[in-house]
């Protein structure tokens, strides 16, 4: 990657003595990531939320709209470096990067016109950067289905259609305003006919400038989607590979999706919500009772939603992790901290210093940067420094 003077290239696991590198297009250096969980009623959204949060926060009952107010939780992003960096820095605590997950009421046909919890639901999702679209893919007569029968493709299309119709109405209202002009109007004039053809806004080939001009609208179909198929316990534990291939095939048949951008995952929300409350040994013992040996099938833990979904959201949004703490004497900083940042673009070091530390931007002189995996090859930060591995970036 070619870098302009004093820019820092985004990447995985960058760590610095005073600040970190990062990421984003103009006006988008935010380190706060918000993800909405959507789907029809009774598909397992609240159980999935509880599994992600590792606690029973959201009400999960067998009737439509058991979730009325959105449930919100900060979820730690699985991190392969933070604990080791904290030990190297002799930090007294480690602070992981997080994402905010939002569980909202189930969406039904007509939500874009106010059916169910309609507009209230859609407003919550407009504030998110990405969408986890939960699709039921198991049979259980004890769990009510709003349409009477489980059909993953049709169910997903109901939700997608409502998101499309909501965006069409939102754009038409905006285009009526006299102050909608320039790049914003050009972008909306491009998106509107595509939406009416069934093409989501994220598939319209918008330039970064066009995306930035319409960011405040919070278009639902502009957000990338992680289709998350909720399967039975036995399918998740014993037929995961085949089930994931079937899920990918279904996504290719879902109208209003974009297989070049959207991703796919499997969960077993009810089982995972229960297991997420167990300690590690209890979880190990429970899996043994179900006929699984975690010591032989190590993918089981990696595929649990609280590990798999945040990592897939990172891929979906092109996010990376950066760190502060290593290189700073414990007398000045008692913690090693991870931040989530966007990979695209390359702000200057001083811009990122302002974003992560705020008050030091005015007096910023320089920062020291090293990829985390490289730093961990050395016993101390000083040893990496002596080996000439530390990069210095100024204003």
């Amino acid at each position: 990657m070619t870098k302009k003077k004093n820019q820092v290239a985004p990447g995985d696991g960058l760590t610095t003595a005073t600040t970190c590198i990062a990421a984003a297009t103009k006006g988008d250096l935010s380190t706060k990531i918000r993800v909405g969980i959507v789907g029809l009623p009774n598909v397992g959204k609240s159980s999935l939320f509880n599994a992600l949060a590792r606690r029973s926060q959201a009400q999960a009952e067998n009737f439509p709209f058991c979730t009325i107010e959105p449930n919100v939780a900060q979820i730690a992003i699985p991190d392969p470096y933070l604990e080791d960096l904290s030990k190297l820095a002799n930090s007294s605590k480690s602070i992981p990067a997080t994402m905010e997950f939002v569980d909202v009421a189930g969406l039904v046909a007509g939500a874009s016109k106010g059916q169910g919890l309609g507009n209230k639901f859609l407003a919550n999702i407009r504030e998110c950067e990405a969408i986890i679209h939960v699709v039921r893919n198991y049979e259980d007569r004890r769990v009510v289905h709003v349409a009477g029968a489980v059909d993953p493709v049709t169910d997903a299309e109901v939700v997608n259609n409502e998101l499309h119709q909501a965006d069409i109405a939102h754009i038409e209202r905006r285009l009526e305003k006299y102050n909608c002009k320039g790049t914003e109007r050009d972008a909306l004039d491009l998106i509107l006919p595509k939406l009416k053809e069934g093409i989501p806004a994220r598939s319209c080939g918008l330039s970064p400038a066009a995306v930035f001009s319409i960011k405040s609208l919070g278009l639902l179909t502009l957000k990338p989607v992680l289709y998350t198929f909720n399967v039975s316990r036995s399918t998740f534990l014993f037929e995961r590979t085949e089930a994931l291939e079937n899920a990918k095939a279904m996504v290719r048949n879902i109208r209003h999706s974009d297989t070049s951008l959207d991703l796919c995952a499997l969960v077993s929300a009810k089982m995972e919500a229960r297991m997420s409350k167990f300690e590690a040994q209890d979880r190990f013992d429970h899996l043994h009772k179900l006929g699984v040996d975690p010591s032989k099938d190590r993918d089981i833990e990696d595929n649990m939603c609280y590990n798999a979904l945040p990592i897939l959201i990172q891929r979906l949004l092109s996010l990376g992790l950066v760190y502060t703490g290593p290189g700073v004497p414990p007398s000045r900083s008692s913690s090693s901290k991870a931040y989530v940042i966007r990979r695209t673009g390359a702000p200057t070091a001083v811009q990122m210093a302002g974003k992560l530390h705020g008050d030091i931007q005015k007096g910023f002189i320089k920062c020291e940067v090293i990829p985390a995996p490289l730093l961990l090859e050395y016993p101390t930060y000083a040893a990496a420094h002596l080996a000439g591995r530390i990069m210095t970036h100024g204003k």
Side-chain angles (χ1 to χ4, degrees):
M1 176 179 176
T2 301
K3 294 187 293 180
K4 295 181 180 179
K5 184 179 179 181
N6 294 330
Q7 281 188 316
V8 284
D12 280 323
L14 291 159
T15 180
T16 72
T18 57
T19 187
C20 295
I21 5 194
T25 54
K26 179 182 177 183
D28 194 11
L29 293 177
S30 175
T31 56
K32 182 177 180 180
I33 303 299
R34 189 176 172 94
V35 182
I37 302 175
V38 309
L40 293 177
N42 284 6
V43 296
K45 299 184 307 303
S46 294
S47 293
L48 177 61
F49 177 87
N50 287 336
L52 284 165
R54 301 201 193 194
R55 61 184 183 274
S56 295
Q57 178 174 330
Q59 184 182 11
E61 301 292 345
N62 180 24
F63 57 84
F65 309 118
C66 64
T67 301
I68 298 176
E69 295 298 327
N71 300 291
V72 181
Q74 293 286 342
I75 310 299
I77 299 173
D79 193 323
Y81 305 121
L82 180 60
E83 288 302 320
D84 289 336
L85 289 170
S86 188
K87 291 176 184 177
L88 180 142
N90 291 318
S91 299
S92 60
K93 60 182 177 180
S94 304
I95 304 174
T98 61
M99 294 177 183
E100 189 172 271
F101 285 78
V102 184
D103 168 39
V104 299
L107 182 66
V108 295
S112 60
K113 297 180 175 64
Q115 293 295 316
L117 296 177
N119 294 328
K120 184 176 183 180
F121 162 90
L122 297 173
N124 290 323
I125 300 305
R126 291 197 188 282
E127 300 170 359
C128 297
E129 281 75 38
I131 291 174
I132 289 178
H133 184 162
V134 183
V135 182
R136 178 175 168 180
N137 194 24
Y138 67 90
E139 294 286 351
D140 187 340
R141 287 179 295 177
R142 295 169 297 178
V143 180
V144 176
H145 188 284
V146 291
V150 176
D151 184 333
V153 172
T154 300
D155 291 351
E157 288 177 348
V158 169
V159 173
N160 283 352
N161 183 62
E162 293 306 316
L163 301 183
H164 266 66
Q165 294 304 316
D167 274 358
I168 288 172
H170 197 40
I171 290 173
E172 288 178 338
R173 288 193 298 270
R174 179 60 186 153
L175 287 172
E176 293 173 357
K177 305 294 184 182
Y178 75 93
N179 61 345
C180 178
K181 52 190 175 182
T183 305
E184 180 189 6
R185 180 169 288 276
D186 291 342
L188 296 181
D189 282 338
L190 172 64
I191 294 169
L192 185 58
K194 296 288 187 182
L195 284 173
K196 292 180 177 179
E197 294 172 13
I199 299 170
R202 62 186 177 279
S203 305
C204 291
L206 299 174
S207 68
V211 172
F212 183 72
S213 73
I214 60 174
K215 182 178 179 181
S216 63
L217 294 180
L219 294 182
L220 302 167
T221 64
L222 192 60
K223 306 176 191 304
V225 178
L226 174 57
Y227 288 96
T228 303
F229 289 80
N230 188 13
V231 299
S232 68
R233 181 179 68 190
S234 61
T235 298
F236 183 83
L237 294 177
F238 304 112
E239 303 167 14
R240 194 166 57 249
T241 301
E242 181 181 354
L244 184 57
E245 289 305 311
N246 290 338
K248 291 177 180 178
M250 283 189 281
V251 170
R252 289 193 289 270
N253 291 320
I254 295 172
R255 287 182 299 159
H256 314 313
S257 65
D258 186 332
T259 54
S260 68
L261 299 173
D262 303 335
L263 296 178
C264 180
L266 290 184
V267 298
S268 183
K270 184 177 179 180
M271 179 196 76
E272 294 186 70
R274 181 184 180 190
M275 289 183 58
S276 67
K277 294 179 284 186
F278 295 168
E279 296 297 331
Q281 186 58 50
D282 292 336
R283 194 159 58 244
F284 187 94
D285 294 341
H286 184 70
L287 287 170
H288 261 292
K289 291 178 182 178
L290 297 176
V292 177
D293 185 349
S295 63
K296 294 180 180 178
D297 189 355
R298 296 182 181 179
D299 287 343
I300 286 290
E301 183 66 18
D302 290 342
N303 282 290
M304 290 293 181
C305 65
Y306 47 77
N307 285 322
L309 297 194
I311 290 173
L312 286 169
I313 292 295
Q314 282 184 267
R315 284 179 52 194
L316 197 66
L317 293 173
S318 297
L319 303 175
L321 294 174
V322 294
Y323 307 87
T324 57
V328 179
S331 59
R332 288 178 49 204
S333 175
S334 62
S335 64
S336 290
K337 185 173 182 179
Y339 300 83
V340 60
I341 52 88
R342 298 185 186 276
R343 293 175 184 270
T344 52
T348 64
V350 68
Q351 286 174 325
M352 204 61 197
K355 190 64 186 178
L356 299 185
H357 291 285
D359 57 348
I360 73 168
Q361 185 171 5
K362 184 179 291 187
F364 179 87
I365 299 174
K366 65 179 181 179
C367 68
E368 295 179 346
V369 182
I370 181 173
L374 181 58
L375 176 58
L376 291 172
E377 294 178 7
Y378 296 87
T380 63
Y381 190 88
H385 216 303
L386 286 173
R389 295 295 197 173
I390 308 296
M391 299 174 287
T392 300
H393 292 275
K395 291 185 179 181

